[in-house]
Amino acid sequence: MSWLTPRRLRDYPRLFALALWGAYGLEVLFHQGWRGGLGGIIGSDFITLYGAGLLYRESAARLYDFAAQAGVQAALIAPTPYPGLNPFISPPYVAMACGLLTFLPLLPAFLLWNGLTALWTLHAARMLWRIVPLDAKASGLSFAQMAILMLSFFPFLAGWRVGQNHGLTLWLATGVLMAQRAGRPMLAGLLAGLLLYKPQFVLGFLILWLAWGEICALLGFGAIAAAWIGLSLGTVGSAPYREYLAHGAFLLSLPWTEGFPAFALITPYGLLGTLLPPDARPWLRATAPALLIATGLGLALLARSLRGQPFERQAPAWMLALLYPLLASPYALLHDLMLMIPLLGLWAAYHPSRRLLQVTVGVYLSGLFLPLLGALTGLALPALLPISTLLALSREGWFPLFRGAHRKPPARS
């Protein structure tokens, strides 16, 4: 990759940033109500979360009534026509937390949320930049350049446009890693508990802590989870939880649900769901739990082999824990690729190599072009990113998926 000169590595992300944020600026400039200049609803996912918070506060029994959700969402952005339901499918305690946003009107709440998203992302960049090796910094990877890379990463802008929680997810996941690295497992567990609004993203961390007998981290996680879920149960009872569980099968049918942007799914389940014919769908749904369990066991076995090791030796397990929900769960979307950033940060800190640069460039560019190709073909092509990253890590010898790949990565301080 001799064409990747230091100047190009510096300037190309800045050009991407100018192009992508310029396009977003024009969309906002030419908006009509909540409809952007490109035709879509600006803040569509935030409107869903805000509407769920309103329903939770005013009529929790109708939280998973899709007709009620559609009515609330349409009323929130009226007179802008709403193109259709964007369903709220998270647990009830998430709606309870979203209720805090509803103490502000919709527009100020949306602006505040996106401002926080930017701050969370920049602070995550600062945490990761501190562990980047000195030779990488000397080669031009300043904090400003790292921030530009993250803010021009297309999944970040895609999530920003719809008001997603990807900035918070990145900040919490990075915080878990940095707290564990600093020898503060209780804090790591507390942060993982706050990440429970996307339960699939916590599973990898829990598997590691269980395999290592990390009681303090598990207690921290349990305290936050018990307080969060317990407060919700105490205010609305168990009925919304039963209804939420009854809708569990809906997640498995998303790749072929009319109107759902299946091309934005980043999981192998999503890719297969858009590739296989309709008569294969029952088989795909039936095997989804097996994939979750099998990959979880693989992560647990890797963790057991690293028990008692310092953090730098355990970095492969943490990297696989970040990949785990993107590989094993049925549901993760384009903006969730932000989890690739702390994974690459760990790789840079503890096992830098020539392949790292290739993977980083590949992730950055694929994050833009695979969704565009997926939108044209109707296929969940972004799912190729986590899969190819796992294969690249295996080639490095971190995960023994290839014969002969058994060497351990060197420890770095």
Side-chain angles (χ1 to χ4, degrees):
M1 303 182 72
S2 57
W3 60 275
L4 280 177
T5 63
R7 182 176 179 180
R8 286 172 174 162
L9 288 171
R10 181 197 66 196
D11 292 345
Y12 283 7
R14 300 180 184 188
L15 294 175
F16 273 92
L18 286 174
L20 293 174
W21 283 98
Y24 176 73
L26 290 174
E27 183 179 36
V28 173
L29 182 64
F30 293 103
H31 77 99
Q32 295 180 344
W34 284 88
R35 185 175 295 279
L38 297 177
I41 298 296
I42 297 175
S44 56
D45 287 359
F46 183 82
I47 293 166
T48 297
L49 298 173
Y50 189 96
L54 284 176
L55 278 174
Y56 186 92
R57 289 180 57 194
E58 299 172 1
S59 181
R62 304 178 65 196
L63 181 59
Y64 297 102
D65 181 339
F66 288 160
Q69 290 185 21
V72 169
Q73 292 169 17
L76 282 170
I77 65 170
T80 304
Y82 204 75
L85 172 67
N86 189 10
F88 175 78
I89 50 179
S90 298
Y93 56 82
V94 178
M96 179 186 69
C98 292
L100 298 174
L101 298 169
T102 63
F103 288 99
L104 289 174
L106 178 61
L107 180 57
F110 177 58
L111 295 176
L112 172 64
W113 182 253
N114 268 1
L116 290 173
T117 296
L119 292 176
W120 285 322
T121 302
L122 290 174
H123 188 239
R126 173 62 69 176
M127 287 190 285
L128 291 170
W129 187 74
R130 287 172 179 164
I131 67 171
V132 170
L134 292 176
D135 53 354
K137 295 177 181 178
S139 299
L141 186 58
S142 64
F143 170 69
Q145 183 69 9
M146 189 167 183
I148 290 171
L149 282 167
M150 291 169 65
L151 295 178
S152 63
F153 187 36
F154 183 70
F156 174 82
L157 187 60
W160 170 280
R161 182 187 178 279
V162 298
Q164 258 293 341
N165 45 30
H166 58 313
L168 179 58
T169 301
L170 170 66
W171 183 71
L172 289 172
T174 304
V176 169
L177 298 175
M178 296 302 103
Q180 192 74 34
R181 177 178 180 269
R184 303 178 66 184
M186 178 67 76
L187 176 59
L190 293 172
L191 293 173
L194 294 175
L195 190 55
L196 200 57
Y197 58 85
K198 288 191 173 179
Q200 69 271 35
F201 292 163
V202 183
L203 289 176
F205 298 146
L206 294 180
I207 290 172
L208 296 189
W209 289 328
L210 287 169
W212 293 333
E214 191 66 82
I215 302 300
C216 289
L218 293 171
L219 287 175
F221 170 80
I224 294 295
W228 197 355
I229 299 173
L231 182 59
S232 175
L233 286 170
T235 54
V236 298
S238 61
Y241 284 87
R242 292 195 298 270
E243 193 169 356
Y244 166 72
L245 293 174
H247 283 83
F250 179 72
L251 285 175
L252 297 178
S253 64
L254 282 176
W256 46 85
T257 298
E258 185 178 357
F260 180 78
F263 66 88
L265 287 166
I266 61 172
T267 63
Y269 181 91
L271 179 59
L272 291 175
T274 57
L275 276 173
L276 297 177
D279 55 4
R281 292 169 184 172
W283 169 85
L284 185 60
R285 283 194 294 261
T287 57
L291 176 63
L292 191 70
I293 294 171
T295 51
L297 288 174
L299 175 58
L301 289 173
L302 176 64
R304 289 290 296 179
S305 70
L306 297 171
R307 183 169 182 169
Q309 297 293 316
F311 182 85
E312 58 267 21
R313 289 287 185 181
Q314 293 178 339
W318 289 106
M319 295 164 74
L320 189 56
L322 292 167
L323 273 181
Y324 175 64
L326 310 184
L327 294 168
S329 69
Y331 183 73
L333 289 174
L334 180 63
H335 52 265
D336 296 319
L337 283 174
M338 295 298 287
L339 289 176
M340 297 292 295
I341 295 174
L343 184 154
L344 294 172
L346 289 180
W347 191 347
Y350 299 117
H351 192 198
S353 67
R354 185 178 301 275
R355 185 173 283 113
L356 169 61
L357 177 60
Q358 298 169 355
V359 171
T360 301
V361 173
V363 167
Y364 184 84
L365 295 177
S366 298
L368 173 61
F369 294 112
L370 286 182
L372 294 178
L373 291 174
L376 294 174
T377 61
L379 301 176
L381 296 181
L384 297 174
L385 256 177
I387 296 172
S388 59
T389 301
L390 178 66
L391 296 179
L393 289 170
S394 300
R395 286 287 189 181
E396 290 287 281
W398 289 55
F399 313 129
L401 294 184
F402 293 90
R403 180 174 299 178
H406 298 293
R407 65 184 178 87
K408 292 184 178 179
R412 287 178 62 96
S413 58

